[in-house]
Amino acid sequence: MMRSWPATAAMFLALGGLSAVAGYEMAPPGAAAWREIAWPFQRDGWPAGRAFRCGAAECGGDVEVYLRPKLGFCNCDSGVADVDMISPRFVPLKAGDAVAVADMPGRIRVYDLEMPEEKHTAIGIAVSHRCDLMAVAAQGRGDAAGVQRATLKFLESREIRAWMITAMEGH
């Protein structure tokens, strides 16, 4: 027996709706949980980048992510993320790891960050494309694994991936 299009569509939506709701409730924070904020750092030798904040309710702790391309950096082997912009007092928790963000290879490292009011976790990410660098620094009050997970999930969102790829092409 052949069903009509509206009946088939309604049945499909009804069956898929339950799993979609469950998936949404269990999913890590998406780009919608993040809001863009003003670049909070003084000017240096590189242009200002973009800055975003995600609240504790959505990301398990307040998290801020700062990203900017450094075109012409020409140092693929020892690229540095911008953790020092947040605070000059940071200590790595362990050696860095390989990472890929927006199809660009690089390194990620977790730091303890001393702030005037309390310690924060910082994440430094440096990825390259033709020896241009995308520097990403993140900070948060949550545990290191949670801040790293929220940051990487955000960086893989469609909007941010597209912006990073376009920025690295020099457009």
Side-chain angles (χ1 to χ4, degrees):
M1 172 162 103
M2 187 170 203
R3 294 181 186 225
S4 68
W5 165 247
T8 304
M11 183 175 74
F12 175 77
L13 290 174
L15 291 174
L18 291 175
S19 62
V21 169
Y24 174 78
E25 289 174 353
M26 306 277 297
W34 294 82
R35 63 181 170 86
E36 191 156 6
I37 59 174
W39 185 255
F41 306 109
Q42 293 184 18
R43 298 290 294 205
D44 58 10
W46 300 99
R50 295 180 73 184
F52 298 86
R53 177 177 294 135
C54 183
E58 297 88 0
C59 289
D62 292 326
V63 179
E64 290 185 359
V65 174
Y66 320 104
L67 55 154
R68 64 182 173 167
K70 293 183 173 181
L71 304 179
F73 187 76
C74 296
N75 194 350
C76 290
D77 295 328
S78 61
V80 184
D82 288 337
V83 172
D84 62 333
M85 291 186 311
I86 303 168
S87 170
R89 300 173 58 117
F90 56 92
V91 178
L93 297 179
K94 64 177 190 142
D97 295 311
V99 69
V101 175
D103 298 325
M104 294 179 280
R107 304 287 295 170
I108 185 170
R109 195 168 192 184
V110 179
Y111 301 86
D112 267 343
L113 186 66
E114 263 190 56
M115 302 293 282
E117 66 279 358
E118 64 185 40
K119 279 191 174 184
H120 285 206
T121 295
I123 308 294
I125 301 171
V127 294
S128 64
H129 174 68
R130 292 188 305 221
C131 285
D132 289 325
L133 181 75
M134 176 63 68
V136 179
Q139 67 166 321
R141 292 191 178 120
D143 67 274
V147 173
Q148 181 172 320
R149 190 172 36 257
T151 300
L152 290 173
K153 178 72 175 168
F154 173 68
L155 294 176
E156 288 300 324
S157 68
R158 184 179 313 139
E159 175 190 345
I160 297 304
R161 279 178 57 89
W163 178 82
M164 289 172 61
I165 291 166
T166 300
M168 293 300 280
E169 293 294 331
H171 299 283

